[in-house]
Amino acid sequence: METPAIAAVTAAGLAHRVVTYGRVRDLDEAAAKRGIAVDRIIKTLVIRRGDDDYLFVLVPGDRVIDWPRLRAHLGVTRVSLADADDALAVTGYPRGAITPFGSRTRLPVIADEGIGAMGEVSVGGGAHGVAIHLEGAILVEHLEAQTVRVTRPR
C-alpha cells in the first residue's frame, strides 16, 4: 500500500517499516496487531488554536492530553481538538489515520516528552489499518518537534 505518509517517509530516507494490520476496535487491539506495546503507539492529534491555526500533538497510546499543560505551553486560554472535517481538510487524512507525515499542510509539531527516547514507535500510515514503525528519536528529529510534557496517564 502506498499513501502520502509512506511516500514522504520513504522520500526523506528515514529508516522505517510499514505494518498493515486492518481495522481494529480499540488501541489494545491495534497494539496487538501492530506487534508493539500500547505506549509505543503514537497518536497524532490535530489541535486547533484559533481560526485556521492548527498544530500536531504526538501522544503516546497510554496517555491523554493534559489540556491545562498544553494551554500553558502554548500561552493561550483556549485550544480544542480539531473536528473531523477540519482535520481532514488540513491534513488530507481521515480521523483514525492522521499522521504528521505527508500532511496536506505543514503544521508545527509538539511531541510529548519522552517519545524521542522510546526506541521503536508506531505512527499512523495515512490509511486505516496502516502504520509506520520507526525510532522515536528519528520521528522527533525529522519533524523538528518541540518536546514538552503535555500529557497525563489515561
Side-chain angles (χ1 to χ4, degrees), residues 15-19 34-43 58-61 101 114-124 131-140 143:
H16 71 284
R17 64 187 176 93
V18 175
V19 176
R34 291 183 193 190
I36 198 161
V38 168
D39 67 331
R40 302 287 176 111
I41 292 180
I42 306 301
K43 301 176 285 188
L58 306 181
V59 177
F101 294 110
I115 290 174
M118 284 186 165
E120 185 180 60
V121 298
S122 179
V123 298
I132 297 169
H133 288 213
L134 71 168
E135 293 294 312
I138 292 171
L139 173 70
V140 170
L143 297 173

Side-chain angles (χ1 to χ4, degrees), residues 42-44 55-59 73 100-101 106-116 123 135-150:
I42 306 301
K43 301 176 285 188
T44 303
L55 62 126
F56 287 125
V57 177
L58 306 181
V59 177
H73 172 72
F101 294 110
R106 183 167 167 87
L107 299 176
V109 179
I110 295 175
D112 193 50
E113 188 176 80
I115 290 174
V123 298
E135 293 294 312
I138 292 171
L139 173 70
V140 170
E141 181 181 328
H142 177 75
L143 297 173
E144 299 175 348
Q146 292 180 23
T147 55
V148 181
R149 176 64 68 202
V150 292

Side-chain angles (χ1 to χ4, degrees), residues 63-133:
R63 302 185 68 82
V64 296
I65 289 182
D66 183 325
W67 293 101
R69 276 187 185 172
L70 180 60
R71 287 192 303 269
H73 172 72
L74 295 172
V76 298
T77 56
R78 288 183 54 158
V79 293
S80 61
L81 192 61
D83 68 34
D85 290 337
D86 286 345
L88 177 61
V90 170
T91 68
Y93 299 118
R95 195 171 271 167
I98 296 172
T99 178
F101 294 110
S103 176
R104 181 176 290 156
T105 308
R106 183 167 167 87
L107 299 176
V109 179
I110 295 175
D112 193 50
E113 188 176 80
I115 290 174
M118 284 186 165
E120 185 180 60
V121 298
S122 179
V123 298
H128 291 286
V130 179
I132 297 169
H133 288 213

